[in-house]
Every structure is written in C-alpha cells, then in structure tokens.
Amino acid sequence: MITILAGGTGSIKLVRGLYKQFKNISVISNVADNFWYYGLYICPDIDTIIYGLSGNLDKKKGWGIKGDTFYFRNYMREVGIEFWFNLGDKDLTTHVLRTHMLKSGSSLTQTTSKIAEIYNVSIPIVPSSDNHFETNMITGSRKRVHLQEYWIQHKASLPLIDIVYRNIRTARPTQECVKLLKASELIVFAPGNPVSSIGPIIGIPGMKKLLHDLKKKVVMVSPFISNNAISGPSAIYMKAKKLDPSLGGLAEYYSKFVGTMIFDNKDQNEVETNVKPRFPDIKFEYTDILMSNSKKEIALAKYITCNFR
C-alpha cells in the first residue's frame, strides 16, 4: 500500500495520478484548514481530495464542484450578510451532512468515510487528526487570522509575520492514520505547501517521531522548481516561518523524516552541487515533476510506483 500525505490544491494532482496508476493507496489529509462558518464545518483539503478522485473537482478553480452554482452565497450577500467564503450550492450539501454527523456524535474520520462513500471513492481518505486545530496567520498588527480568512477574505493583503498551528499541542493523530503509516510500503509527501498543507500533518504531536522511524520508506516530491514554488504561496509562507524558500531550505525542512527526495530534472545540477553534500543520508532523484495535464500526473505516479516500492 502507498499512503500519501496531502493538503491543498498542490496535492490532488499527484493523488489523482497515483489513484489511476495504483489502486492500493490511501490518503492522510491535512485538517488545519478546517473551520466553522455560519454553523457549518468546512474541510477544504479533505473535500478537494474526495471531489478530485470522484471526478467532480472544478479543475479550473482547483477547488469546489465543477459546474456548481452560487445562488445561496449570492443571496446571502444580496440580503446584506457578509459572506466571503465561496460555498457552492452542491458543495453546501457536503458541509451540511458533515456538520449534522459531527453534531450527532460521529468523528471527523467517520464523517469523511461516509462522504467518500457517497462520492464512490473506495480508498481510505483519513483525516490526520479528529481534533480541531487551525493554521493561523499572524499579521502585522499581531492579530491571528485563520488561513482561509487571510487568503480569501483579505486576499493575502495583510502583512504576514508568522504562521502558527493554533491548538495543535492538544491534537493527536487518528488511530487510522498511525495504522496506515506503519502498514504502508511507501509513504509519499505530495508537493503541497510545506507550511500550510504538509506542515500541520507532521506537526501533530507524535507524528515527527513516527515518520522519523519510518524514514527509509518516506518519499517527498518537491513543490519547487528552480527555487520557485510551482504554484501557490509556498515561498511566502516559508519566509514567514523564517525558512529558506529554496531547494536547500526545502531539503532542510524535511530532512529528519524523509529518506528520498524527488526534484525536477532542471534542478539536478543545483541539488547535486549545493544540496546533496549537506544531507549524505538522503537519496536524491530527478524526473519531470510538473504535472500540467493528466498524462503527466500519471507519468509521475508511474515513476514513483516503479522506482520506490
């Protein structure tokens, strides 16, 4: 079995490619993007994985359900209610069901399994934790702002000085998450944002030690090419955490619990010259990691399944 640690729109491409190439996979999803909004519990990363694997994802936006309408959101605004989060009408069904199940006593793991079943996704989609904790952005005024609020409502316009995982100290990985990691033949870090997508998963107490113990079978796919983020604000977030937003900084960030790092062919000389000598116990491999279409998603997945299992 292959288990993928995933979060954000940067992860679904690799998850989708692996799903098409090798059915015996599972996904451990980031939950720190989750938040309550008008009484509904929203799980952006979990839903992106489920919609993506079921063929319902709006690929152009990278989130939500394709062909969705926004009558509910628009009418909320029309009657004068502030409504900054883009909840589509079909998407709303997922959040209503999840919230109902949670308030009825189900865990996030159980609700996620049910929603995946509804969308005919047969592989395990497992929250990294059933506990609620959040990625918060510390702005120039020292105010804490939830990542979704910062990025969508404020459009990343506020000065960003730090990023924290609020309440993560009291979170614990789910039993299902731990079992999957221990049972997996290969563990893959998808090329999601190191700070906001993968960071909250590995930051849950107990996860770093577990991954360190499993290091030999952990593979990371770089979210950077030529020291630039392939997509999204990875570089901005790394700077906010006082991390070097480069190939070397990425290797440093993951070095304690990743045994193999996959970089793009374009970066082989840079990595071999400036990064590899610093981390002699890590294997560095190179291929085309830019998943610009479905064929390239499958090609990268095939490269991983053929070379590292």
Side-chain angles (χ1 to χ4, degrees):
M1 180 174 61
I2 297 174
T3 295
I4 310 114
L5 272 62
T9 57
S11 296
I12 184 57
K13 293 180 179 180
L14 181 59
V15 173
R16 194 163 48 211
L18 286 166
Y19 183 66
K20 292 176 181 177
Q21 174 66 27
F22 186 77
K23 292 298 183 184
N24 191 16
I25 68 170
S26 60
V27 178
I28 294 174
S29 176
N30 172 43
V31 297
D33 281 16
N34 298 359
F35 69 112
W36 289 94
Y37 193 63
Y38 284 104
L40 296 174
Y41 196 58
I42 317 295
C43 301
D45 287 355
I46 290 173
D47 294 343
T48 296
I49 296 297
I50 293 175
Y51 296 159
L53 293 183
S54 63
N56 287 282
L57 182 68
D58 187 325
K59 290 185 179 180
K60 186 174 181 180
K61 291 188 180 78
W63 52 267
I65 296 175
K66 63 184 179 182
D68 209 349
T69 54
F70 292 86
Y71 293 109
F72 174 78
R73 178 202 66 182
N74 294 342
Y75 193 67
M76 288 284 279
R77 292 173 176 174
E78 189 177 326
V79 297
I81 300 173
E82 181 186 27
F83 205 86
W84 52 265
F85 193 72
N86 291 310
L87 286 181
D89 301 320
K90 293 179 181 178
D91 188 28
L92 194 60
T93 304
T94 298
H95 310 310
V96 170
L97 174 60
R98 175 188 293 120
T99 304
H100 172 72
M101 289 186 67
L102 289 173
K103 289 186 175 181
S104 297
S106 297
S107 67
L108 183 59
T109 296
Q110 291 168 328
T111 64
T112 301
S113 178
K114 178 61 177 178
I115 294 167
E117 179 186 339
I118 289 171
Y119 279 92
N120 295 314
V121 176
S122 58
I123 66 168
I125 309 296
V126 177
S128 52
S129 179
D130 282 331
N131 306 114
H132 180 79
F133 66 97
E134 303 177 350
T135 299
N136 281 187
M137 323 303 272
I138 309 300
T139 67
S141 61
R142 305 299 303 184
K143 179 182 177 182
R144 288 176 180 248
V145 179
H146 189 283
L147 180 144
Q148 295 292 335
E149 185 181 356
Y150 178 85
W151 190 248
I152 299 174
Q153 183 179 22
H154 298 289
K155 303 186 187 306
S157 62
L158 303 176
L160 182 62
I161 61 175
D162 197 6
I163 299 173
V164 298
Y165 309 128
R166 183 169 172 261
N167 294 330
I168 195 171
R169 291 183 180 180
T170 58
R172 293 296 180 269
T174 63
Q175 291 183 353
E176 291 81 0
C177 171
V178 174
K179 288 178 182 178
L180 284 173
L181 290 173
K182 289 182 176 180
S184 294
E185 183 181 5
L186 183 67
I187 300 166
V188 180
F189 283 19
N193 190 306
V195 175
S196 63
S197 296
I198 308 300
I201 301 177
I202 62 180
I204 298 170
M207 283 292 286
K208 287 183 179 178
K209 183 182 185 308
L210 176 59
L211 289 167
H212 180 269
D213 292 342
L214 301 172
K215 180 175 180 177
K216 289 184 179 179
K217 61 180 182 180
V218 180
V219 172
M220 177 213 75
V221 178
S222 173
F224 284 76
I225 296 178
S226 301
N227 290 314
N228 293 307
I230 295 173
S231 65
S234 293
I236 296 170
Y237 290 0
M238 288 184 74
K239 287 180 181 178
K241 291 297 295 178
K242 308 298 186 291
L243 301 169
D244 181 15
S246 66
L247 303 177
L250 190 70
E252 176 72 30
Y253 183 69
Y254 286 128
S255 60
K256 293 181 180 179
F257 29 80
V258 173
T260 301
M261 298 187 178
I262 303 173
F263 288 93
D264 194 80
N265 289 323
K266 295 178 181 178
D267 294 323
Q268 183 168 357
N269 183 63
E270 167 76 12
V271 172
E272 290 289 315
T273 303
N274 298 318
V275 180
K276 186 175 181 178
R278 295 166 50 197
F279 306 100
D281 62 329
I282 295 175
K283 296 179 182 178
F284 292 90
E285 304 291 343
Y286 310 94
T287 190
D288 181 2
I289 65 171
L290 186 61
M291 295 174 284
S292 54
N293 54 53
S294 59
K295 288 184 179 180
K296 295 185 76 173
E297 291 174 9
I298 294 172
L300 180 56
K302 187 174 182 179
Y303 171 82
I304 292 171
T305 57
C306 290
N307 288 281
F308 305 109
R309 286 176 52 238

